[in-house]
């Protein structure tokens, strides 16, 4: 049976080139970059080379890149750091209703400490309106944190306009770009981004390493204490193998982005067209235009997404019903509720995220296996039976 991995937004495999680049730093070039002897100096040089690669991918200066243990840590550091840094100036933060929980839960933590957070609504396309953002700005607003692209529905936000507004108001703008870096062009200078979070394991690098871009002039304080690493702003011996891998992974992703984006967009559109045309009572979630090239999110009426995932798994197809970070929850996706879906439709969602291993053959296999699975689940659904009684009584009685 064919194995089809359609959950690249949850995590990716480590590319052979990336694995090859990081292996020597486990057992051969294992020096601590904070020491002064030869193998330590070699490690330090390697660390800075990776920093150069990450900076080049974002249009940043190497001195503006700080390595972290994850994208989640980078989000926490940015949001808590700015909130506490400018606390005397103001205690108001603006975010959106569809952020990753790394952002939402950090904002909730700050609310418990007396900060106010405005969560901007989004339209049916999952995109905020810049006019709504402008109306939400107050004299005491110190931070705007809005993701570049959504991890569940793939909608891409108007980052450049958001950044320009923040810049004109003297407000720090942070963006969680974990799902976007390496998939769509990003330039922190032209897009007016003050801080940006990213993670290696979404880019065919390993888990456990990320980075935070911090614009020069922002005196972000240390988030982890205990040493002088990362120019005194993030304590802890650096994960050299992971950082090397991040540098290599982001370098490869950006160099291949244009061609890979075209390839994945074609597969994405084939999936969307195939699903909507072959399975009735199905609709696309998120923008059909401003969308990540590898993201498909659809909802099937009258069925549960978890049951769909299990039956797809039996066919060797691995997908998701939402964010991997909350897939164990029985609650419907906060993202799908935010774009206006009722609970029963949000529960019937499926997220497909393509990647380097995705092929046209896999897409065709998926499109062949999906309709009978959905039909089987609907045959067992009381909701579908009730719908048929109302819409087609003859079919039910027959």
């Amino acid at each position: 049976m064919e194995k089809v991995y359609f959950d690249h937004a949850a995590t990716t495999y480590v590319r052979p080139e990336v694995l090859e680049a990081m292996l020597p730093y486990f057992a051969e070039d294992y020096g601590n970059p904070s020491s002064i002897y030869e193998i330590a100096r070699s490690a330090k040089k390697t660390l800075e080379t990776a920093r150069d690669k990450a900076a080049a991918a974002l249009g940043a200066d190497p001195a503006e890149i700080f390595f972290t243990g994850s994208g989640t840590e980078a989000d926490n550091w940015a949001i808590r750091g700015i909130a506490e840094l400018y606390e005397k100036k103001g205690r108001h933060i603006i975010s959106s209703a569809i952020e990753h929980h790394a952002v939402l839960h950090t904002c909730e933590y700050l609310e418990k400490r007396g900060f106010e957070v405005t969560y901007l609504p989004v339209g049916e396309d999952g995109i905020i309106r810049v006019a709504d953002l402008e109306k939400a700005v107050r004299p005491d607003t110190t931070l705007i944190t809005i993701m570049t692209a959504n991890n569940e529905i793939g909608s891409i936000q108007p980052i450049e306009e958001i950044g320009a507004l923040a810049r004109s108001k003297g407000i720090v703008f942070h963006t969680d770009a974990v799902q976007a870096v390496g998939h769509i062009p990003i330039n922190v200078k032209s897009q007016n981004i003050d801080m940006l979070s990213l993670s290696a394991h979404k880019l065919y690098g390993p888990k456990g390493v990320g980075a935070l871009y911090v614009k020069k002039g922002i005196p972000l304080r240390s988030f982890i204490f205990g040493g002088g690493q990362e120019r005194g702003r993030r304590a802890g011996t650096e994960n050299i193998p992971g950082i090397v891998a991040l540098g290599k992974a982001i370098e490869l992703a950006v160099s291949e982005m244009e061609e890979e984006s075209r390839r994945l967009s074609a597969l994405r559109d084939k999936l969307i067209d195939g699903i909507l045309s072959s399975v009735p009572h199905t609709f696309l979630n998120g923008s059909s235009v401003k969308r990540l090239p590898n993201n498909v999110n659809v909802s099937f009426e009258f069925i549960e997404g978890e049951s769909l995932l299990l039956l797809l798994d039996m066919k060797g197809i691995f997908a998701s019903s939402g964010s991997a970070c909350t897939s164990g929850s029985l609650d419907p996706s906060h993202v799908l509720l935010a774009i206006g879906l009722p609970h029963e439709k949000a529960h019937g969602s499926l997220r497909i995220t393509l990647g380097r291993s995705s092929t046209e053959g896999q897409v065709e296999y998926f499109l062949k296996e999906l309709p009978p699975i959905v039909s089987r689940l609907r045959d067992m659904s009381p909701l579908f039976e009730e719908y048929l009684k109302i819409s087609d009584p003859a079919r039910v009685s027959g």
Side-chain angles (χ1 to χ4, degrees):
M1 181 172 59
E2 185 171 2
K3 301 294 183 183
V4 178
Y5 183 74
F6 275 175
D7 203 16
H8 289 84
T11 196
T12 58
Y13 64 87
V14 177
R15 289 181 62 164
E17 306 97 314
V18 173
L19 180 60
E20 183 180 1
M22 69 188 294
L23 280 178
Y25 298 95
F26 285 108
E28 298 169 25
D29 300 325
Y30 53 85
N32 186 324
S34 295
S35 299
I36 62 173
Y37 40 77
E38 183 182 348
I39 62 170
R41 294 196 303 271
S42 175
K44 181 70 172 177
K45 183 178 179 181
T46 297
L47 174 67
E48 297 310 324
T49 298
R51 199 185 310 277
D52 291 343
K53 291 178 179 179
L58 302 176
D61 186 281
E64 298 172 313
I65 301 296
F66 296 87
F67 293 113
T68 65
S70 63
T72 294
E73 181 192 324
D75 284 339
N76 274 256
W77 187 12
I79 296 167
R80 289 177 59 181
I82 291 300
E84 293 167 0
L85 178 65
Y86 295 119
E87 188 170 3
K88 291 183 179 178
K89 177 182 175 183
R91 296 167 68 87
H92 181 236
I93 298 166
I94 300 174
S95 190
S96 85
I98 63 167
E99 296 298 309
H100 189 278
H101 284 105
V103 170
L104 292 178
H105 288 173
T106 306
C107 287
E108 289 169 9
Y109 161 81
L110 290 169
E111 285 181 292
K112 292 175 182 176
R113 293 196 56 236
F115 288 81
E116 290 185 69
V117 183
T118 297
Y119 299 97
L120 296 175
V122 294
E124 291 182 359
D125 57 2
I127 298 173
I128 72 154
R129 305 297 177 252
V130 178
D132 290 341
L133 172 61
E134 189 165 14
K135 288 177 185 176
V137 171
R138 305 184 335 200
D140 61 340
T141 305
T142 56
L143 173 66
I144 295 170
T145 176
I146 292 173
M147 66 196 338
T148 303
N150 186 263
N151 52 303
E152 291 191 36
I153 59 175
S155 296
I156 300 171
Q157 302 296 339
I159 292 302
E160 188 172 344
E161 293 87 343
I162 295 169
L165 175 62
R167 188 69 50 87
S168 72
K169 303 288 186 180
I171 301 167
V172 175
F173 172 44
H174 163 258
T175 186
D176 177 338
V178 166
Q179 294 290 341
V181 171
H183 297 284
I184 59 175
I186 291 178
N187 185 291
V188 293
K189 306 301 184 190
S190 65
Q191 292 177 300
N192 306 295
I193 298 169
D194 296 313
M195 295 191 294
L196 177 148
S197 305
L198 64 91
S199 180
H201 80 104
K202 311 294 188 180
L203 300 165
Y204 305 94
K207 301 165 185 66
V209 60
L212 178 66
Y213 155 78
V214 182
K215 183 186 174 187
K216 281 183 181 176
I218 296 179
L220 195 66
R221 298 168 182 163
S222 296
F223 185 61
I224 296 176
F225 299 95
Q229 291 86 358
E230 291 301 282
R231 299 184 300 288
R233 294 166 86 174
R234 200 269 185 184
T237 301
E238 297 90 345
N239 173 9
I240 297 299
I243 290 170
V244 168
L246 187 155
K248 184 66 174 178
I250 200 169
E251 179 183 49
L252 289 170
V254 171
S255 68
E256 299 167 355
M257 184 192 306
E258 187 175 348
E259 181 180 350
E260 184 67 354
S261 177
R262 280 197 301 268
R263 187 184 79 86
L264 292 178
S265 294
L267 293 179
R268 175 201 66 191
D269 293 344
K270 181 170 183 173
L271 268 169
I272 292 172
D273 294 342
I275 294 169
L276 298 183
S277 63
S278 65
V279 183
H281 309 295
T282 303
F283 50 92
L284 180 70
N285 296 316
S287 173
S288 59
V289 179
K290 295 178 180 178
R291 188 181 201 97
L292 287 172
N294 70 329
N295 178 287
V296 177
N297 190 302
V298 289
S299 283
F300 303 91
E301 294 188 81
F302 314 115
I303 68 171
E304 289 284 338
E306 295 298 320
S307 300
L308 177 59
L309 288 181
L310 290 172
L311 292 180
L312 286 172
D313 186 22
M314 292 173 67
K315 295 293 184 178
I317 299 169
F318 313 128
S320 168
S321 59
S323 167
C325 300
T326 57
S327 60
S329 172
L330 295 176
D331 295 329
S333 158
H334 72 284
V335 175
L336 297 182
L337 295 180
I339 64 174
L341 266 63
H343 279 232
E344 63 272 16
K345 291 185 179 181
H347 270 302
S349 69
L350 179 70
R351 182 185 72 172
I352 302 162
T353 43
L354 307 167
R356 286 179 52 81
S357 61
S358 303
T359 65
E360 188 167 4
Q362 290 180 341
V363 168
E364 290 171 353
Y365 174 69
F366 174 86
L367 292 174
K368 173 187 155 205
E369 297 294 340
L370 178 69
I373 290 176
V374 174
S375 179
R376 175 183 170 188
L377 289 172
R378 284 179 175 162
D379 285 343
M380 298 184 289
S381 168
L383 290 174
F384 190 53
E385 184 178 357
E386 188 66 28
Y387 166 79
L388 290 178
K389 285 180 181 177
I390 297 171
S391 64
D392 191 1
R395 175 180 168 182
V396 176
S397 61

